[in-house]
Amino acid sequence: MSEKRSSILIIYTGGTIGMIRNAVTGALESFNFDHLLRHVPELRQFNLNISSRAFNPPIDSSDMNPALWRRIVEIIHTNYDKFDGFVILHGTDTMAFTASALSFMLEGLMKPVILTGSQLPIGVLRTDGKENLLTAIEIAAAKNSDGTPLVPEVCIYFHQKLMRGNRSTKTSADSFNAFTSNNYPNLAVSGMEIQYNSHFIRPYNAEAKLTPHYKMSSDIIIFSLFPGIQQSVVEKILSSGEIKGIIFRTFGSGNAPKAQWLVDALSAATRQGKVIVNVTQCNTGSVKMSLYETGLQLLDAGIISGRDMTVEAALTKMMFLLGEELPIEEVRQRMKSNIAGEISAS
Ligand code: ASP
């Protein structure tokens, strides 16, 4: 008896992978999904049922936003039982934000959701898009011998690496090797074969049920420190009534200037009910606020450690938790604890 063919749903949102150069302006512009598939006849060689949904019009990922994340979540939710895995074609610029957001919005996900894209359009001879797309599909369809998916979580596949989505960051504007998972091992590496790092992949749970979340709060800012930052500017931002959450990008292991005005402004913001999470400006490593005096004072001001979370994960986690309208103390507690594999144990 022949085995049932796996079914994959490709969701095309836009990005360089499906762009073409405008002959007049020279700028890259999106073209439609049928054109994209015409450039990848290899897709027909898969022993899979492949269907697609496309954003109309496709977008440059700089235009991505929570309403469009909701659209992706809705597509996955309504098609969840019909497909074994999902591949999202997405611009690289904000792919790590979308992957992080989806990891929180798709609670109980137990199927692969693999985001990919490319640095060069798929119609260009040297494109990286073909390999990225074909391998992403193969990973989305990969199963264990018992029929359960090999990678039941939201990931980014790019340039031979499969990374947990909420651990990934775009680290190069022009290299094919554009994404890095700095604080968590790659989930797979593709060479002649795809080598899965099973130990680091979220385990499959047959009991889990997909629960989509659609509310994301945007009353948040990312606030980056630099030597010489001005008191008046900082106070204005921290006291703004429109801001409910702040991703506070500090130095090294979570340090900030010792200035009393800064500690006072942070303490006042915390007392007003703002959630402030400390993430480092460094690419790798973790916030440890008790290491230096300059970090300790932040702990006293009620700042929460974002430990080794990426900015993208911290931001979208806060959007998600504030969107759920939980009591502020619960938001603070949950920012520190693991929801979707985005933060390492302390
Ligand atoms: N600007 C493009 C985008 O993010 C870049 C890319 O896809 O690589 O949509």
Side-chain angles (χ1 to χ4, degrees):
M1 214 172 68
S2 66
E3 268 184 32
K4 189 175 158 280
R5 292 208 311 181
S6 290
S7 298
I8 299 298
L9 181 64
I10 299 178
I11 304 168
Y12 173 56
T13 67
T16 296
I17 194 162
M19 285 181 175
I20 201 160
R21 201 168 291 285
N22 181 310
V24 181
T25 64
L28 287 171
E29 293 172 353
S30 298
F31 61 81
N32 83 29
F33 189 65
D34 304 332
H35 286 86
L36 184 117
L37 289 186
R38 208 178 301 152
H39 287 290
V40 200
E42 294 87 346
L43 283 174
R44 290 195 204 98
Q45 291 177 33
F46 276 121
N47 185 24
L48 299 168
N49 294 322
I50 299 179
S51 304
S52 62
R53 301 281 182 283
F55 277 20
N56 187 12
I59 58 151
D60 184 295
S61 79
S62 300
D63 288 322
M64 192 44 82
N65 59 45
L68 296 176
W69 291 337
R70 277 192 279 280
R71 199 187 292 172
I72 299 173
V73 168
E74 205 164 34
I75 294 174
I76 292 175
H77 183 221
T78 50
N79 289 284
Y80 195 64
D81 295 333
K82 290 183 230 141
F83 293 90
D84 298 284
F86 302 85
V87 171
I88 302 176
L89 297 180
H90 195 290
T92 57
D93 291 348
T94 63
M95 192 188 292
F97 287 92
T98 298
S100 298
L102 294 181
S103 76
F104 302 116
M105 295 170 87
L106 293 167
E107 185 188 341
L109 177 81
M110 279 299 141
K111 292 188 178 179
V113 172
I114 314 294
L115 288 97
T116 196
S118 67
Q119 293 282 53
L120 282 178
I122 211 141
V124 169
L125 209 54
R126 291 182 54 249
T127 186
D128 52 330
K130 263 191 196 182
E131 194 280 324
N132 286 346
L133 172 59
L134 296 173
T135 309
I137 292 173
E138 195 166 331
I139 292 170
K143 291 195 177 157
N144 294 302
S145 49
D146 62 358
T148 58
L150 228 56
V151 190
E153 57 173 301
V154 179
C155 299
I156 288 182
Y157 176 76
F158 216 90
H159 191 65
Q160 301 172 353
K161 295 183 298 194
L162 181 72
M163 295 154 278
R164 176 166 288 165
N166 57 30
R167 293 291 195 147
S168 311
T169 300
K170 184 173 179 183
T171 44
S172 174
D174 44 25
S175 166
F176 284 158
N177 187 11
F179 286 86
T180 312
S181 171
N182 283 309
N183 283 331
Y184 197 76
N186 293 328
L187 303 185
V189 178
S190 128
M192 281 173 64
E193 287 181 358
I194 301 172
Q195 304 276 359
Y196 290 92
N197 218 346
S198 312
H199 181 66
F200 293 101
I201 298 174
R202 174 158 82 176
Y204 181 76
N205 173 5
E207 306 300 313
K209 198 179 161 322
L210 182 70
T211 310
H213 295 268
Y214 291 101
K215 289 184 279 173
M216 298 291 271
S217 167
S218 290
D219 306 326
I220 296 173
I221 53 155
I222 300 173
F223 171 36
S224 213
L225 276 180
F226 59 89
I229 197 161
Q230 270 199 49
Q231 177 173 359
S232 56
V233 176
V234 174
E235 285 174 350
K236 214 171 213 124
I237 294 172
L238 290 180
S239 63
S240 159
E242 282 143 60
I243 293 170
K244 294 192 184 130
I246 298 161
I247 304 300
F248 188 39
R249 297 187 67 225
T250 56
F251 305 129
S253 51
N255 306 311
K258 265 198 297 212
Q260 191 56 43
W261 62 260
L262 179 61
V263 179
D264 290 346
L266 289 166
S267 306
T270 312
R271 276 196 308 275
Q272 281 163 15
K274 295 185 168 66
V275 182
I276 309 178
V277 175
N278 188 348
V279 295
T280 174
Q281 294 178 15
C282 295
N283 293 334
T284 61
S286 185
V287 162
K288 294 181 195 86
M289 284 192 275
S290 46
L291 206 59
Y292 295 96
E293 198 187 346
T294 45
L296 212 48
Q297 58 176 10
L298 299 182
L299 261 186
D300 294 340
I303 311 302
I304 293 155
S305 174
R307 294 208 295 277
D308 62 349
M309 275 191 288
T310 60
V311 169
E312 295 89 333
L315 178 90
T316 53
K317 185 176 181 177
M318 195 184 272
M319 291 173 103
F320 164 68
L321 292 173
L322 289 174
E324 292 290 292
E325 291 175 25
L326 304 166
I328 287 304
E329 253 337 290
E330 194 176 335
V331 174
R332 291 194 174 123
Q333 284 311 317
R334 293 193 65 191
M335 278 306 299
K336 289 191 250 184
S337 44
N338 178 37
I339 296 179
E342 74 286 358
I343 192 167
S344 303
S346 54

